[in-house]
Amino acid sequence: MLSPAQILQEFVTLWVVIDPIGTLPVFLAVTTGLTAAQKRAVALRAVLISFGVLALFIGLGQVVLEALGLALPSFQIAGGIVLFLFALTMIFGHSKPAEEIAEAERVRRTAVFPVAIPSIASPGAMLTVVILTDNDRFSFAHQAMTTTLMGAVLACTLVILLAAAPLHRILGTTGEAVISRVMGMVLAAVAVDAVLRGFVSIGVLPAF
């Protein structure tokens, strides 16, 4: 059974890697000119697709790694490094990659790309859900709770996307940038912790 502190830690971790606020500019760009009903449909479809993709990684991600002969600590260290690099882009760059937003403005595709993937179900989110549901370390109940927390974050993401226009007016570009950088710092700390725990798992560092 997860403690309240563990639940909060996993919720914050999932919130940071999914980054609902950072998805706002992408969603606004890709839905420009659509009716309110169409925007709601895009938001709902994007969130449902994201849940499906991340749930697939929870269920099969570690199985695929083991089939390839890759140890989870190695994946955890690699994932931590990738998350750290992603955090740096959040801190020093844009809340979401500039190319991603430009692509949304240029082609205005469906909810699959770029809203669901790679904006909501980002590579960082995929790596994170695999690490948080390690079959060797966590029970089925723990994994079910992680999946529930992921669903809660995605539900919050849907609410934010449905209220995208007023939120964008309230926060503005500056507000979104500030939130993104704060989340980037949190994600950087999470990434460093993942790398350190990976080193503990392979015996390079003592447990802490």
Side-chain angles (χ1 to χ4, degrees), residues 182-195:
V182 172
M183 291 298 182
M185 288 297 297
V186 175
L187 181 57
V190 169
V192 171
D193 184 71
V195 172

Side-chain angles (χ1 to χ4, degrees), residues 3-192:
S3 67
Q6 289 175 309
I7 292 174
L8 179 61
Q9 181 183 27
E10 289 204 1
F11 182 84
V12 170
T13 300
L14 290 166
W15 181 279
V16 169
V17 295
I18 292 173
D19 191 14
I21 298 297
T23 302
L24 272 178
V26 180
F27 179 77
L28 288 169
V30 81
T31 58
T32 299
L34 299 183
T35 65
Q38 289 172 325
K39 290 180 180 180
R40 288 193 296 270
V42 168
L44 180 59
R45 186 181 179 197
V47 170
L48 289 176
I49 291 171
S50 299
F51 181 84
V53 170
L54 294 177
L56 184 65
F57 269 81
I58 288 175
L60 298 178
Q62 188 169 353
V63 174
V64 172
L65 286 176
E66 291 175 351
L68 293 173
L70 299 174
L72 192 66
S74 300
F75 185 74
Q76 186 173 0
I77 293 170
I81 294 171
V82 172
L83 288 180
F84 185 77
L85 294 174
F86 181 69
L88 292 181
T89 67
M90 293 176 67
I91 297 169
F92 297 110
H94 300 281
S95 56
K96 292 286 183 180
E99 296 83 1
E100 188 177 317
I101 297 174
E103 181 69 13
E105 294 171 338
R106 189 163 56 247
V107 298
R108 297 171 56 188
R109 297 177 186 251
T110 63
V112 178
F113 177 85
V115 181
I117 303 169
S119 192
I120 299 175
S122 64
M126 296 173 192
L127 289 169
T128 300
V129 295
V130 173
I131 293 171
L132 291 179
T133 55
D134 176 8
N135 294 334
D136 297 327
R137 291 193 298 149
F138 304 119
S139 65
F140 177 79
H142 186 133
Q143 294 171 336
M145 177 60 71
T146 299
T147 305
T148 302
L149 292 173
M150 181 189 75
V153 173
L154 289 175
C156 293
T157 302
L158 177 60
V159 171
I160 290 172
L161 294 184
L162 292 175
L167 280 175
H168 183 67
R169 286 195 296 270
I170 293 170
L171 294 175
T173 303
T174 301
E176 290 172 358
V178 170
I179 292 173
S180 176
R181 280 152 179 75
V182 172
M183 291 298 182
M185 288 297 297
V186 175
L187 181 57
V190 169
V192 171

